[in-house]
């Protein structure tokens, strides 16, 4: 990409540089955490001083678009997955809206004895066996979320399902179960050895844990879900309004 500044323009040089860098970091080769060209090379290409270039870069660092590492350089901040609380969507729907192509790295489904917490949620006896679905999902480059779902035993879901289809589409189309409400808990934790190995990070690195209690249109509990997300790939946003 040829970067050119108009030195005859009334727009300040640092603002022109800022806009050019914004366009640069949207290019595919820079989107996922790559380093920008060295400041000395970039300033020479733009025919501006390094101080003027730094002024432009500092603005983008403040906005969280760039990360500067002393002695190393300036890199593009990795794109994160954003999720909001105002309108609950399934994971597949969230990713589709964000334009992110999801890859399945692992999938297991088997019968499993529920914990006391899950038994209470489904109002069944502790130790009852239910279907448990484990999935490791993410971008083609790396996985960023490890899901564990357990289902109300009244739903006859089985290992014969095609889980390339969205989960709630399976429940609705095949079993007439319509997921409507999700009550969620979000917490932060350090990854244990097992989760770290799944998410391809080091043990002790931060993860976000997203626990979902999912109900159908009749307010019956249908799914207990825990998602462990790489903290460098997921941001949860909440929009609240005051009652005036």
């Amino acid at each position: 990409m040829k970067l050119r500044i108009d030195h005859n323009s009334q727009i300040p040089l640092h603002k022109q540089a800022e806009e050019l860098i914004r366009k640069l970091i949207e290019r595919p080769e820079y989107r996922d955490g790559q380093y920008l060209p060295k400041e000395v090379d970039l300033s020479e290409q733009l025919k501006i001083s390094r101080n003027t270039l730094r002024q432009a870069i500092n603005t983008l660092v403040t906005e969280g678009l760039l990360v500067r590492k002393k002695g190393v350089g300036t890199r593009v901040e990795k794109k994160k997955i954003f999720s909001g609380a105002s309108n609950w969507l399934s994971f597949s729907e969230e990713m589709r809206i964000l334009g992110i192509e999801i890859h399945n790295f692992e999938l297991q489904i088997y019968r499993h004895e529920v914990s006391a917490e899950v038994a209470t949620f489904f109002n069944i006896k502790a130790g009852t066996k239910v279907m448990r679905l484990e999935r490791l999902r993410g971008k083609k480059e790396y996985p960023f979320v490890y899901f564990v779902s357990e289902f109300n035993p009244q739903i006859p879901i089985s290992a014969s399902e095609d889980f390339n289809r969205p989960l709630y589409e399976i429940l609705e189309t095949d079993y007439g179960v319509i997921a409507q409400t999700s009550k969620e808990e979000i917490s932060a934790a350090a990854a244990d050895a097992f989760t770290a190995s799944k998410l391809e990070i080091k043990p002790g690195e931060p993860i976000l844990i997203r626990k979902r209690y999912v109900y159908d249109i009749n307010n019956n509990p249908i799914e207990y879900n825990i998602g462990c997300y790489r903290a460098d790939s997921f941001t949860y946003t909440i929009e609240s309004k005051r009652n005036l």
Side-chain angles (χ1 to χ4, degrees):
M1 178 180 179
K2 187 69 174 176
L3 302 178
R4 219 173 253 179
I5 277 184
D6 181 0
H7 288 262
N8 295 318
S9 171
Q10 294 183 349
I11 300 173
L13 297 179
H14 72 275
K15 294 302 293 182
Q16 291 189 58
E18 179 188 321
E19 289 307 310
L20 288 173
I21 295 171
R22 285 183 191 277
K23 293 177 181 177
L24 179 67
I25 64 180
E26 284 300 319
R27 292 178 62 84
E29 62 265 35
Y30 287 105
R31 281 182 187 167
D32 203 23
Q34 298 303 310
Y35 281 87
L36 294 181
K38 293 180 180 179
E39 286 186 6
V40 62
D41 296 331
L42 201 50
S43 61
E44 286 181 3
Q45 182 179 348
L46 295 173
K47 295 182 172 53
I48 58 175
S49 70
R50 291 181 67 178
N51 284 338
T52 300
L53 176 63
R54 283 181 187 145
Q55 191 175 354
I57 289 175
N58 285 342
T59 299
L60 301 180
V61 169
T62 302
E63 292 181 15
L65 297 175
L66 297 176
V67 177
R68 177 181 280 126
K69 289 191 174 182
K70 189 175 181 180
V72 179
T74 302
R75 67 170 176 79
V76 179
E77 177 63 286
K78 291 181 180 180
K79 296 289 186 181
K80 296 186 177 182
I81 310 305
F82 287 83
S83 181
S86 60
N87 184 24
W88 172 61
L89 300 170
S90 70
F91 176 79
S92 297
E93 289 171 328
E94 288 177 341
M95 299 303 103
R96 178 180 56 79
I97 289 171
L98 291 169
I100 297 173
E101 182 181 357
I102 290 299
H103 291 256
N104 293 315
F105 291 86
E106 294 180 18
L107 186 150
Q108 295 185 70
I109 183 166
Y110 55 94
R111 281 171 58 78
H112 168 82
E113 289 188 3
V114 296
S115 65
E117 180 181 0
V118 178
T120 299
F121 173 57
F122 288 138
N123 194 25
I124 58 178
K125 291 182 180 179
T128 300
K129 286 191 174 182
V130 302
M131 294 304 292
R132 177 184 174 101
L133 173 65
E134 299 179 10
R135 291 191 288 182
L136 183 64
R137 313 185 76 183
K139 303 176 183 179
K140 65 179 180 179
E141 296 86 0
Y142 60 84
F144 62 73
V145 60
Y146 176 64
F147 283 122
V148 174
S149 290
E150 296 178 72
F151 302 95
N152 190 315
Q154 294 183 8
I155 302 172
I157 197 164
S158 71
S160 63
E161 306 292 351
D162 175 11
F163 287 102
N164 286 317
R165 297 163 60 198
L167 175 60
Y168 298 129
E169 177 186 305
I170 293 173
L171 293 177
E172 182 172 347
T173 303
D174 298 359
Y175 301 109
V177 176
I178 302 174
Q180 183 178 54
T181 305
S182 173
K183 297 180 181 179
E184 303 194 12
E185 297 175 4
I186 308 292
S187 59
D192 58 24
F194 174 79
T195 306
S197 68
K198 293 291 185 183
L199 297 178
E200 299 180 8
I201 58 177
K202 295 178 182 178
E205 287 194 28
I207 60 172
L208 290 174
I209 301 174
R210 185 183 190 186
K211 186 184 294 185
R212 280 180 163 179
Y213 303 88
V214 183
Y215 300 81
D216 68 8
I217 56 176
N218 297 312
N219 206 36
N220 297 313
I222 60 173
E223 181 199 11
Y224 174 92
N225 174 279
I226 294 179
C228 297
Y229 293 78
R230 287 176 53 144
D232 64 357
S233 297
F234 184 79
T235 297
Y236 197 79
T237 63
I238 296 175
E239 179 179 335
S240 301
K241 292 183 179 180
R242 293 176 60 203
N243 291 323
L244 299 177

